[in-house]
Each structure stands twice: as C-alpha cells, then as structure tokens.
Amino acid sequence: SIFKLKMKNISEDEKTRRINHFRRVIFYRSIFGWIFSLVGVVLFTVGLNNLNNPLVSINGFLFFGYGLFMVWQTKRAKEKLDSNS
C-alpha cells in the first residue's frame, strides 16, 4: 500500500514517534466518544421529559450513536496497531 511505501523512507525514531502520537489520539478519541454517549443519553432523557420538543431527543439519540461509533473506531484502530506491533 501507499502508506507502507511512505513509511519505508522514515527512520525508526520517526516511526515510533508517529505511532505513539497515534496511540494518544486514539486514547483521547475514546474518552470523547464516551463523553458524547453520556451527553446523548442526557439529551435523550431531557427530550423525553419535554415531549413538546422532539428535536432534543433526536439530537440526543444521534449524539449517543456517534459517541458509540467513536469508541468502536478506536477499539478497531487499537487492535490493528497491537496486531502490527
């Protein structure tokens, strides 16, 4: 792949630095995914309590779904990194 071709021209120190940076990005993305999910649950329950504003519940549902998607993405990326190491 193109990524492997680009990585061949990079020193081992640079590869290690990039991989460590990517691991930090994955870690923080996972944390924000859980935060988004929590905010989504709160918004969804507020929307259900105030039945006159259904957009809040829809927004909460979407926040929750996107937060879980972020967590799922980070889990897959971490598994890929760990299998290549």
Side-chain angles (χ1 to χ4, degrees), residues 9-23:
N9 300 330
I10 298 174
S11 69
E12 287 299 317
D13 290 339
E14 181 67 16
K15 284 181 190 177
T16 305
R17 190 183 68 74
R18 286 184 182 191
I19 290 171
N20 288 338
H21 174 71
F22 189 64
R23 285 186 191 276

Side-chain angles (χ1 to χ4, degrees), residues 2 9 11 13 29 38 40 46 48 58 60 62 64 71 77 81 83:
I2 294 173
N9 300 330
S11 69
D13 290 339
R29 186 170 174 86
L38 180 65
V46 166
L48 287 181
I58 293 170
L62 292 175
F64 178 72
V71 171
L81 265 181
S83 70

